[in-house]
Amino acid sequence: SDFTSAVSVALDQVRGGASFAVAGGDGTVGKVARELIEKRIPIAVLPLGTANNIANSLGIADIPLQDLVAGWTTARSINFDSGVAKGPWGSENFIEGFGVGLFAETMSELSESGGMELPSDKPEKVIPAVMKILNDQVDHFPAKNMVVQLDGKDVSGDYVMLEALNTRYIGPNLDLVSAAQMNDGFLDVVFVTKRDRSKLRKHISDRLGGKKTRGTLTVRRGQHLQIEWENSPIHIDDITWPTEKDRTPLKSSAIDIRIDPAALVFLAPEEEKPASKPKARTKLKK
């Protein structure tokens, strides 16, 4: 098609040489990105998914596809961190985030049911549907005792949800940390205790209502996170563990999570130059 040809031509003209174009949602972009860790090959994203968290982080989610492609020839390459999570599943990189608790278990249940609770015929309603499921479960989801170390500091406790984020968005475009940066060399770790249920419920309700969320959740920044917890589902981006084949009973699990700074390179639109101020007129002396 004409559009495919335009994509091919634009990639050939990208500054710096070889690049990858990825058309799809976060799952597709994440799969490609994990294969390009540390290879310094720029990734050009054409956001065609439901949430488009990665594209939102890059500031390109709302740009028309034709304009994105046309802008590749002058696009800038920006660094993008990656997380590395080691546990019973082995070692896995993540682009968006890693989590234990409410969101991870909700993802696991949806995965096992094949998404039966979600409106498959109306993609635009999937995000609100997932948000509503989370909202309905906040008040009665049990807190889990976790032994947690962040950069060597003990932050253990009973948590309803713990999320280590590389970007500000996870899952159904849930904006948990508005100040999160994907290239600052840090993880933003969100801790939700039993006493914080109302804050999380308000956060989700605001997103459901299209309101701007306020940063009231407890967030700590760090580069090295260690967790021990009684066996329960976790998520690594959109991947859940354990799978059916991994359901070996474990008394507890130990997880080691680190940030891998500037592990990836993405293309983003050229920054707009600020408009120059008109020069002040010099009054002539009489």
Side-chain angles (χ1 to χ4, degrees), residues 83-100:
V84 185
K86 296 181 180 179
W89 56 84
S91 179
E92 189 72 54
N93 289 89
F94 61 88
I95 314 302
E96 299 169 63
F98 171 99
V100 185

Side-chain angles (χ1 to χ4, degrees), residues 208-264:
L208 268 170
K211 299 178 183 178
K212 187 175 181 179
T213 54
R214 297 180 179 179
T216 57
L217 299 174
T218 300
V219 181
R220 295 184 174 91
R221 302 175 78 234
Q223 297 176 310
H224 185 200
L225 179 68
Q226 296 167 293
I227 308 172
E228 288 185 32
W229 93 114
E230 291 185 4
N231 190 36
S232 61
I234 59 93
H235 80 88
I236 304 172
D237 285 345
D238 62 346
I239 302 167
T240 58
W241 184 91
T243 61
E244 290 186 9
K245 67 177 181 178
D246 294 320
R247 294 194 183 284
T248 304
L250 296 174
K251 185 176 181 181
S252 65
S253 298
I255 305 171
D256 188 276
I257 302 169
R258 295 178 183 270
I259 193 72
D260 184 4
L264 293 161

Side-chain angles (χ1 to χ4, degrees), residues 26 50-53 56-57 61-62 124 126-132 134-135 161 168-178 198-217:
D26 294 311
T50 304
N52 296 316
N53 293 330
N56 269 298
S57 298
D62 297 324
E124 71 278 4
V126 170
I127 287 178
V130 177
M131 290 280 201
K132 188 176 185 306
L134 290 171
N135 200 43
M161 187 173 81
R168 59 185 285 184
Y169 305 96
I170 60 166
N173 218 213
L174 185 57
D175 185 358
L176 288 178
V177 187
S178 297
S198 59
K199 293 180 181 179
L200 180 59
R201 190 189 332 108
K202 178 70 164 57
H203 201 91
I204 296 172
S205 296
D206 284 347
R207 293 294 290 173
L208 268 170
K211 299 178 183 178
K212 187 175 181 179
T213 54
R214 297 180 179 179
T216 57
L217 299 174

Side-chain angles (χ1 to χ4, degrees), residues 131-152:
M131 290 280 201
K132 188 176 185 306
I133 292 172
L134 290 171
N135 200 43
D136 292 343
Q137 293 186 355
V138 169
D139 288 333
H140 63 264
F141 188 85
K144 300 180 182 296
N145 181 259
M146 303 181 199
V147 178
V148 186
Q149 297 274 331
L150 181 61
D151 288 345

